[in-house]
Amino acid sequence: MRVPTFFALLRRDLRGSRGHLLFFVLSLAVGVGAVVAVASLSAAIDQGVRREARQLLAADLAIVGRQPIPDAMLEAVDGLPGAERVDLREMFTVVALPDDEPQRAPAQVGTTLRSLLVELKSVGVGYPFYGELELEPAGPLRLDAQSVAAEPELLRRLGLTLGDQLRVGGEEFRIVARVLREPDRLTGAFQMGPRLLISTEGLARADLERFGSRVEHRTLIRLPDASPGELTAAVETLEAARPEGEPHRVETWREAQPALRAGLQRSENFLGLAALLSLLIGGIGVAQTVRSWIAGRLNAIAVLTSLGMRRREILSLYLGQTALLGLAASALGVLAGVALVAVARGVLGGSLPVETIDPIQPEVWDRGLALGTGIAVLFALPALSVATRVPPVRVLRRSAEPLGLSPGAQGAFEVLAVLRDRRQVGRGAA
């Protein structure tokens, strides 16, 4: 069949089938749009996390554990060529207003709190190695044994301002800065309380590390201009220096924010299953639309058969039409998916930097087009098989029904259906 003849027949067949065409396109576009949106958003966030990995870890390497870092591992760090290190400790504690601080009026500060649960973080000189610690007033973090830096939420809830005193562990500290953003802490994540930064000397002065204290110890390590091979060698050196039985782990910037990555993977799996279900429902809509469309074209197919068109030509005609419509519907679904990702950039702007989410994902678009077109063809095949079995006698006797399938053809369609279902289940499980 020549190409001009194919498109001429396509225009004729679709001329009176606008309702079927619209339902076909919408059924498939919704499913493809959902799949593309989930895959694009997942790929964009993963790329953003990888691109900003050093900033998310604030270092090249980190040693993390619930116990003090073993001396052997610290000595191994000092032995790495050009290595710089800074020690951090994080814990939950309660801070309070000084005893001589007058109670604020609710009308002034909107609260009557005199104490508050906070996430305390002690930082050494040099933190962070990568990324920016945003403070107000702007500038490098300078803490001594008498000062702290607090998030604005802490100041608001206790009714404090810069220069006021705050009691931590029975000792008073002066608030010298507001903490607006930390590179290794995601905004919008679950928090037990506002952040309070304190120096290593200040933490020792507060005397919060006692028996039973739940403290996370973290040593950040910077290896200037380290190649991937040197980074791997450094990890092996630190792992070899770890005493047997110690639960500490070594993280690299490539593995930054493991909790974030795990959460994203769970979200991707859940949303992927929902998108797959939407696409399967769209496939059912495609099958019903094609069945109704072919039922309305039986007389025209009988005429084509009477004029000498062979069955394989009729099948290729309507299969090609279905594939083109599936491609058009998939393209519309891809555009819808891109629009959903653009909307998600605004919704997730408070949790992740917007610049890390890139809606341009050509590989995902190609998969969406191929998946949508394939689903359209697979779900339409059983209905299209009717077009090859229309008898020419229907031109004279409209009551003549399409011939039944041969046992071999029926078995082939059943095998295709089983393979299609197994493939979709396998993709959903992956």
Side-chain angles (χ1 to χ4, degrees):
M1 184 185 301
R2 294 181 299 175
V3 175
T5 304
F6 173 82
F7 282 101
L9 292 174
L10 174 63
R11 287 194 301 270
R12 188 199 66 180
D13 288 336
L14 298 181
R15 189 177 304 159
S17 306
R18 294 181 180 178
H20 293 135
L21 173 63
L22 180 61
F23 190 77
F24 181 104
V25 170
L26 291 181
S27 297
L28 194 58
V30 169
V32 173
V35 171
V36 169
V38 172
S40 296
L41 187 59
S42 300
I45 293 178
D46 184 67
Q47 291 175 3
V49 170
R50 292 180 182 275
R51 187 168 54 248
E52 304 294 332
R54 274 194 172 91
Q55 286 76 9
L56 291 175
L57 188 62
D60 293 309
L61 296 174
I63 305 175
V64 185
R66 289 292 182 182
Q67 301 293 330
I69 308 299
D71 293 336
M73 298 189 75
L74 295 179
E75 292 174 1
V77 172
D78 296 335
L80 296 175
E84 303 174 37
R85 101 177 197 225
V86 60
D87 297 322
L88 309 179
R89 275 166 285 185
E90 297 185 32
M91 66 181 71
F92 302 119
T93 189
V94 175
V95 299
L97 299 176
D99 294 336
D100 57 351
E101 186 76 12
Q103 178 69 51
R104 265 69 170 179
Q108 294 177 334
V109 299
T111 180
T112 58
L113 294 178
R114 293 191 62 86
S115 61
L116 184 66
L117 178 67
V118 300
E119 296 182 359
L120 185 69
K121 181 177 184 179
S122 75
V123 296
V125 178
Y127 168 84
F129 290 128
Y130 301 103
E132 182 181 359
L133 177 64
E134 296 182 12
L135 302 173
E136 184 183 317
L141 179 64
R142 294 188 177 92
L143 298 177
D144 54 28
Q146 312 290 332
S147 60
V148 294
E151 278 190 336
E153 178 67 12
L154 186 151
L155 303 181
R156 184 189 68 81
R157 296 178 68 177
L158 293 180
L160 299 174
T161 60
L162 294 183
D164 288 346
Q165 297 291 319
L166 181 67
R167 182 176 292 276
V168 182
E171 300 292 337
E172 293 186 9
F173 294 81
R174 185 170 60 91
I175 302 172
V176 297
R178 295 184 179 90
V179 181
L180 304 182
R181 182 176 178 272
E182 300 170 64
D184 53 344
R185 188 191 195 208
L186 294 177
T187 58
F190 176 76
Q191 301 174 6
M192 293 293 292
R195 176 71 86 190
L196 183 69
L197 298 185
I198 192 171
S199 65
T200 303
E201 298 79 10
L203 181 63
R205 176 170 169 259
D207 193 24
L208 292 175
E209 285 193 89
R210 300 181 181 181
F211 179 77
S213 299
R214 185 177 177 84
V215 183
E216 182 180 85
H217 297 261
R218 182 184 296 266
T219 295
L220 302 183
I221 306 165
R222 181 188 180 193
L223 299 174
D225 302 323
S227 65
E230 293 171 337
L231 195 65
T232 302
V235 173
E236 294 175 352
T237 300
L238 297 178
E239 292 285 0
R242 181 178 59 186
E244 185 177 355
E246 290 289 342
H248 298 83
R249 66 182 185 275
V250 180
E251 298 177 357
T252 69
W253 62 269
R254 299 175 184 274
E255 303 159 352
Q257 299 290 351
L260 170 64
R261 294 176 185 273
L264 291 176
Q265 184 62 47
R266 287 193 294 269
S267 300
E268 180 183 356
N269 292 339
F270 174 77
L271 294 176
L273 288 175
L276 180 60
L277 178 61
S278 176
L279 184 60
L280 291 177
I281 294 175
I284 295 174
V286 166
Q288 296 297 330
T289 303
V290 172
R291 182 176 289 107
S292 178
W293 177 39
I294 293 297
R297 305 303 304 169
L298 293 180
N299 295 333
I301 294 172
V303 173
L304 294 176
T305 303
S306 300
L307 293 177
M309 184 174 287
R310 288 170 292 183
R311 290 187 176 185
R312 62 179 180 84
E313 292 179 325
I314 293 176
L315 179 61
S316 62
L317 169 66
Y318 286 99
L319 192 61
Q321 293 179 1
T322 302
L324 285 178
L325 290 177
L327 183 62
S330 300
L332 182 62
V334 168
L335 293 177
V338 174
L340 288 175
V341 174
V343 172
R345 283 165 57 93
V347 174
L348 297 177
S351 300
L352 289 173
V354 174
E355 60 271 13
T356 65
I357 302 177
D358 184 7
I360 308 301
Q361 300 291 333
E363 293 183 359
V364 176
W365 300 350
D366 293 340
R367 292 200 302 269
L369 291 174
L371 181 62
T373 305
I375 287 291
V377 171
L378 284 176
F379 276 81
L381 273 178
L384 291 177
S385 67
V386 176
T388 65
R389 295 180 282 112
V390 177
V393 72
R394 188 179 176 89
V395 174
L396 302 176
R397 183 162 54 88
R398 297 298 175 88
S399 60
E401 295 295 330
L403 302 175
L405 282 174
S406 65
Q410 181 67 34
F413 279 114
E414 290 178 357
V415 170
L416 284 176
V418 172
L419 291 177
R420 178 194 65 197
D421 293 341
R422 291 185 62 182
R423 186 178 181 184
Q424 297 302 328
V425 170
R427 286 183 179 178

